[in-house]
Amino acid sequence: MADKHASQAPMAWGDDQPLVRVEGLRKSFGSLEVLKDINMWVMPGEVVTIIGASGSGKSTLLRCINLLESPDAGQVWFKDVNLTGPKTNVNALREKIGMVFQGFNLFANMNVLDNCTLAPVTLKKMSKTEAEAEAMRNLDAVGLTQFAKSPVTSLSGGQKQRVAIARALCMKPEVMLFDEPTSALDPEIVGEVLNVMRDLAAQGMTMVVVTHEMAFAKNVSDRVVFMDKGVIAEEGRPQDIFTHPQHPRTREFLARYLEDEPKEA
Amino acid sequence: MAKVDRQKGVRTSTKPPAPAGPHRDQPARKKGLGTFLREDHPYVLLGTSVLALCGIWLSMRPRSAMSFLAPYYGLEVALYWVLVAWVAVSVLALLTKILYKDDYRARSPFASEKAKPIERYLSYVVWAIVVVFFLDRAVMGFANTVSVAISSNSKPQGDDLAAVIFIVYECSGIFEAGILTTIELAVFGTVIAFFLALLLVFVRIQVPDRQDNDFVRFLKIVGSGFAKVYSTVVRGTPMMVQGLVIFFGVFSMLRDSGLSTQQANAIWSTFVAGLVVISLNSTAYMMEVLRGGIEAVDPGQLEAARSLGLSQWQAMRKVVIPQGVKNSIPALSNELVINIKDSSVLSVIGVFDLMFASNTAAGIYYTQTPVYAFAAVVYLILTYVASKLLNLLSKRLGAGSVDTTPSSN
């Protein structure tokens, strides 16, 4: 744990201090209260999955972490910086917080390589060749170097999502947010994206994953957060959540999966 | 992203089905000319008869002085009778067909395998004859009218075509200058308006960000408000009125600043005024087009760029605006076509465009309808050529096709 963290985060930030901390977060869309006083933290190198029914506020919570949604109340901390503070340079902090979307959101006006190099060249003042070398390394990690010069429209959904992961990695983020990365994919190609994410977790990347892939939540994550109607109903180690959930809503939500479990094993 | 792709897929797949017309010769043309000429054609008799009737009508038109058939009267009569014979044979074939009804293919002599190629080759003879009559009567007739009209000393009476040819020939300098001015106004006006519209749409879509200080917030709100008001005012008033207000407004401002009328005219010429008016007018429409194109870009594109750390401006410039402009290309090029037509109202402030040239020529010779009809034809040619060229251009840029029937502002 200590070793892989050291390779990920060059800054001296203790393993015992949370990388991301959410305190008293509230968010409403009109009269609908989506997040009600959320408190959460993510330790360095930890993989946290957020599960729950649609509309329970999972994605909104994730989008509040990099301020794509601005919270109505509460604070989001990245290391020792308060993202929600009035003077915070959110753009600079977003460079350290990678995000992968359900709809891929690859830049449609660029090819695969340019998707990966846009941010490093624009923000890190990297030379084009340097950025391209780094992009090729990350494309290699997701197995897509042969598509570097292809327009993004020519890729399949699974390939698009892997490019999106590579694009986020090019900024060398310290934490990666995944917003239902496999929900727009058909079941046959979900695996190729999950494999990339599994590799990433194995390399010690800090990850927050909103997902409906229960197998991934169970097998890959260090901690599972179950959300229900805008609050965190239950959280804990996957083996606890998936074998004897405490909260009645968690039991209800996982009922089908719990029944299936013996058959799978 | 997936949504956009799906829409694109639908757009390309919902092309209207090709009209299922009886154009049997369409695939034949691909096979080569020789095959086409030899092949059976179901409309040989009927279609060629219609053509033959046209030829008969042409042959009964008066010969012009430049007619090349005039010395060969006997030949002309013979050709005329060939056409009549063809029509007669066709009528006969039709009657036979009606008579035998169901088994005419077997019994009608006109449908036999021997007769078919003969009919086909004869139909080419009929075609050739009609072309000869067309050249003699229509083409040479027009050439004769032109030569008579341009050598005439005064406007030919009683013949509108001759009159308009005479007037256009006599006033060719006026019309050339007018057409050139119209093209210049439309092209330069549209290009200037495009850049102004880009600037204005950027101001228009600004939303206060949470990081902005009060001054930036104030600027964004004022800028966006100005763009909205500008668009409403310009699109809500006629360009002719805008032209008059701007032309006379600036002119009197120049006069008030102590310039003589002559100096003011030198600076604020009608062409410059017209260009300013058309640019400012078109800016408002193009801004709305660009705004539509930019708003049609998937919001996920902006979010993805922001999530990588790009600022709002960087994300707009590198990701959203290029896609928005590409979305807008068909409607933007339509704006050029509209400007070609709408520049005509600028003749009211004395811009020497095609409309002003037509007014002048119509006034000199006191001939309205033919001259304005000529102006209409020239406008049609200009807009048609412009929309075809823009279509090619936007296909090259991969941005869909331009509407070939441009709407008006």
Side-chain angles (χ1 to χ4, degrees):
Chain A
M1 189 75 178
D3 280 347
K4 65 183 183 181
H5 166 58
S7 65
Q8 276 299 320
M11 274 171 71
W13 188 254
D15 272 356
D16 51 340
Q17 292 163 289
L19 198 59
V20 175
R21 196 152 46 89
V22 173
E23 282 178 2
L25 200 66
R26 288 178 188 278
K27 175 73 186 175
S28 304
F29 292 117
S31 60
L32 181 72
E33 204 175 1
V34 186
L35 296 178
K36 305 165 187 166
D37 193 20
I38 299 283
N39 291 290
M40 197 187 106
W41 69 95
V42 182
M43 301 301 282
E46 197 179 23
V47 176
V48 178
T49 48
I50 306 177
I51 60 172
S54 297
S56 58
K58 313 182 294 292
S59 288
T60 309
L61 169 58
L62 198 72
R63 289 161 59 82
C64 280
I65 291 179
N66 67 355
L67 291 197
L68 281 184
E69 300 290 352
S70 52
D72 298 336
Q75 294 174 341
V76 178
W77 290 77
F78 180 79
K79 293 185 177 171
D80 52 354
V81 187
N82 180 5
L83 263 79
T84 36
K87 300 265 182 243
T88 313
N89 183 355
V90 179
N91 292 339
L93 282 164
R94 281 189 184 133
E95 294 181 30
K96 303 194 187 307
I97 308 175
M99 182 150 183
V100 174
F101 299 85
Q102 179 178 349
F104 324 129
N105 296 350
L106 294 182
F107 305 136
N109 54 330
M110 301 175 193
N111 68 18
V112 168
L113 194 60
D114 290 341
N115 260 275
C116 296
T117 56
L118 173 68
V121 169
T122 313
L123 300 171
K124 294 195 164 175
K125 305 295 165 216
M126 252 188 212
S127 75
K128 184 87 180 160
T129 39
E130 210 181 330
E132 280 181 358
E134 174 66 21
M136 289 308 277
R137 267 196 295 282
N138 285 312
L139 285 174
D140 188 43
V142 299
L144 288 171
T145 42
Q146 71 270 35
F147 292 106
K149 296 287 179 190
S150 309
V152 293
T153 41
S154 67
L155 303 180
S156 75
Q159 290 166 340
K160 281 179 185 168
Q161 196 60 294
R162 281 145 69 198
V163 171
I165 294 171
R167 174 177 71 180
L169 291 176
C170 283
M171 289 304 284
K172 296 194 167 56
E174 293 178 36
V175 56
M176 287 279 284
L177 312 177
F178 291 84
D179 186 6
E180 299 195 28
T182 57
S183 297
L185 303 174
D186 65 70
E188 280 187 344
I189 53 174
V190 164
E192 65 187 56
V193 172
L194 290 181
N195 284 338
V196 169
M197 291 168 65
R198 237 176 240 124
D199 291 347
L200 211 53
Q203 287 160 25
M205 174 62 80
T206 311
M207 291 162 64
V208 184
V209 185
V210 170
T211 188
H212 290 298
E213 291 293 326
M214 291 307 150
F216 182 87
K218 192 183 171 197
N219 301 326
V220 182
S221 57
D222 301 313
R223 191 149 51 89
V224 176
V225 172
F226 175 74
M227 283 190 71
D228 182 48
K229 297 195 181 77
V231 296
I232 294 177
E234 189 171 353
E235 64 178 304
R237 297 183 305 162
Q239 52 268 45
D240 296 334
I241 297 273
F242 282 95
T243 49
H244 35 84
Q246 302 299 311
H247 197 277
R249 265 299 286 147
T250 323
R251 274 203 290 276
E252 205 182 325
F253 182 76
L254 293 174
R256 196 180 58 83
Y257 187 77
L258 294 169
E259 275 167 34
D260 290 351
E261 199 188 26
K263 286 174 215 158
E264 270 190 355
Chain B
M1 190 74 174
K3 243 180 236 169
V4 172
D5 286 352
R6 219 172 295 142
Q7 279 170 355
K8 265 187 190 166
V10 168
R11 216 177 292 155
T12 48
S13 68
T14 52
K15 269 184 188 168
H23 288 283
R24 285 271 201 89
D25 54 343
Q26 219 86 34
R29 208 169 288 161
K30 279 178 201 153
K31 286 184 219 158
L33 193 65
T35 329
F36 172 72
L37 288 176
R38 283 188 300 275
E39 221 174 38
D40 177 42
H41 195 300
Y43 296 93
V44 164
L45 289 169
L46 200 64
T48 314
S49 314
V50 174
L51 199 76
L53 286 172
C54 293
I56 290 168
W57 177 75
L58 277 172
S59 71
M60 294 192 298
R61 305 274 301 154
R63 274 179 228 83
S64 67
M66 284 169 84
S67 168
F68 54 80
L69 278 178
Y72 312 105
Y73 183 68
L75 176 68
E76 200 185 301
V77 170
L79 293 178
Y80 169 81
W81 281 108
V82 171
L83 295 183
V84 172
W86 179 268
V87 175
V89 168
S90 300
V91 170
L92 208 60
L94 191 63
L95 287 175
T96 325
K97 189 172 175 179
I98 293 166
L99 198 67
Y100 291 138
K101 268 184 193 158
D102 296 332
D103 52 349
Y104 81 93
R105 275 175 207 283
R107 295 176 65 184
S108 167
F110 296 102
S112 74
E113 286 308 312
K114 261 191 183 169
K116 271 183 179 174
I118 299 172
E119 282 164 14
R120 189 144 179 73
Y121 283 115
L122 281 175
S123 78
Y124 298 137
V125 174
V126 173
W127 274 84
I129 293 170
V130 175
V131 168
V132 168
F133 275 124
F134 180 77
L135 287 176
D136 185 65
R137 297 298 197 274
V139 176
M140 296 317 285
F142 181 72
N144 187 56
T145 311
V146 170
S147 79
V148 169
I150 62 180
S151 57
S152 168
N153 291 326
S154 63
K155 192 185 85 177
Q157 298 298 316
D159 185 355
D160 280 349
L161 185 65
V164 80
I165 291 166
F166 172 78
I167 293 169
V168 171
Y169 182 73
E170 291 293 310
C171 303
S172 58
I174 293 178
F175 278 107
E176 266 170 35
I179 292 170
L180 202 66
T181 306
T182 290
I183 295 173
E184 282 171 352
L185 277 177
V187 172
F188 295 144
T190 309
V191 171
I192 294 170
F194 173 70
F195 289 106
L196 288 177
L198 262 186
L199 205 71
L200 203 61
V201 79
F202 176 71
V203 174
R204 171 78 173 79
I205 57 177
Q206 288 295 336
V207 275
D209 208 13
R210 61 189 299 285
Q211 284 169 265
D212 293 337
N213 59 36
D214 287 345
F215 180 65
V216 175
R217 261 168 209 272
F218 174 76
L219 278 185
K220 282 183 174 179
I221 291 168
V222 168
S224 168
F226 167 77
K228 273 183 212 166
V229 171
Y230 181 85
S231 162
T232 309
V233 170
V234 171
R235 295 190 307 146
T237 52
M239 186 154 86
M240 191 185 275
V241 178
Q242 292 163 12
L244 291 167
V245 169
I246 292 175
F247 178 63
F248 289 113
V250 173
F251 186 79
S252 49
M253 267 165 54
L254 289 173
R255 289 281 286 125
D256 289 348
S257 70
L259 294 173
S260 72
T261 307
Q262 219 165 4
Q263 286 168 318
N265 272 331
I267 298 168
W268 187 240
S269 71
T270 53
F271 179 78
V272 171
L275 191 59
V276 167
V277 172
I278 204 164
S279 304
L280 292 181
N281 178 275
S282 200
T283 298
Y285 290 95
M286 284 181 134
M287 185 198 87
E288 293 298 331
V289 166
L290 282 171
R291 188 168 70 97
I294 288 170
E295 281 176 359
V297 175
D298 179 6
Q301 298 279 314
L302 180 70
E303 279 185 358
R306 296 301 306 268
S307 82
L308 288 165
L310 270 69
S311 69
Q312 176 83 12
W313 163 233
Q314 286 167 330
M316 291 304 289
R317 188 164 55 97
K318 305 256 174 159
V319 176
V320 179
I321 289 177
Q323 293 182 50
V325 171
K326 193 176 170 183
N327 287 346
S328 316
I329 285 174
L332 287 178
S333 26
N334 201 19
E335 198 63 28
L336 173 64
V337 175
I338 289 168
N339 281 342
I340 290 174
K341 295 185 298 173
D342 285 8
S343 62
S344 61
V345 303
L346 294 174
S347 62
V348 79
I349 59 170
V351 180
F352 207 101
D353 70 337
L354 174 56
M355 194 63 223
F356 197 91
S358 308
N359 281 336
T360 309
I364 293 172
Y365 293 100
Y366 202 67
T367 309
Q368 282 79 23
T369 316
V371 171
Y372 290 127
F374 171 74
V377 170
V378 175
Y379 275 117
L380 183 65
I381 293 170
L382 288 178
T383 53
Y384 186 79
V385 170
S387 74
K388 285 290 160 203
L389 286 177
L390 290 166
N391 224 334
L392 276 178
L393 185 74
S394 77
K395 264 185 200 156
R396 182 77 57 83
L397 296 169
S401 71
V402 182
D403 192 353
T404 44
T405 49
S407 59
S408 173
N409 276 345

